[in-house]
Amino acid sequence: MKKKILGEWYGTKSIPFLASGECTIIFHEDGKAEADGKVKILGDTLKVCTDDICWRHAEENRFVGTYGDYQLEFILTNGVIKTTVNPYRMGAVKNTRYDMNIPLEMKRR
């Protein structure tokens, strides 16, 4: 299962009248990952770009990613990765109005 997550994944998300975004993440075999994303929330555009993600296989189809103190769970099912991101808790923004959990689905690119 670990090998199935390797490579580049892409997803978009839209929450009408609130937010939209897109994200690309590349999982490497050495347990590192890099992400590049852009989010529009409440009229503001935020760019999130990092190569500081570490990931590990947790169990069956579940993986855990760590970005600073923030942890993400990646669930791989039928060629789709599901995760939940929070721009505020990730440290991408400092304004608490962005403290919202946003579900995201990504497919292999």
Side-chain angles (χ1 to χ4, degrees):
M1 178 58 74
K2 182 178 176 181
K3 296 255 185 214
K4 290 186 178 184
I5 199 170
L6 299 178
E8 184 174 348
W9 298 80
Y10 177 78
T12 61
K13 178 69 178 187
S14 179
I15 303 170
F17 308 110
L18 181 63
S20 65
E22 60 183 53
C23 178
T24 300
I25 187 165
I26 302 171
F27 292 93
H28 300 284
E29 196 164 358
D30 64 359
K32 304 279 186 190
E34 54 201 59
D36 187 18
K38 181 171 44 172
V39 181
K40 282 185 164 184
I41 302 176
L42 303 172
D44 291 335
T45 300
L46 314 168
K47 180 117 171 95
V48 180
C49 183
T50 183
D51 58 359
D52 295 338
I53 300 172
C54 296
W55 68 273
R56 65 178 173 79
H57 183 220
E59 59 184 66
E60 299 198 23
N61 65 335
R62 296 180 184 272
F63 302 83
V64 175
T66 305
Y67 173 66
D69 294 332
Y70 187 74
Q71 283 199 338
L72 299 121
E73 180 178 47
F74 299 102
I75 301 168
L76 176 58
T77 307
N78 297 324
V80 175
I81 291 177
K82 294 182 181 182
T83 191
T84 300
V85 296
N86 184 309
Y88 175 73
R89 297 188 189 268
M90 289 176 74
V93 294
K94 299 197 183 315
N95 190 328
T96 56
R97 85 178 193 173
Y98 301 114
D99 188 2
M100 56 182 78
N101 295 321
I102 303 169
L104 177 65
E105 290 186 6
M106 295 178 285
K107 294 184 179 179
R108 187 175 299 281
R109 219 175 207 185

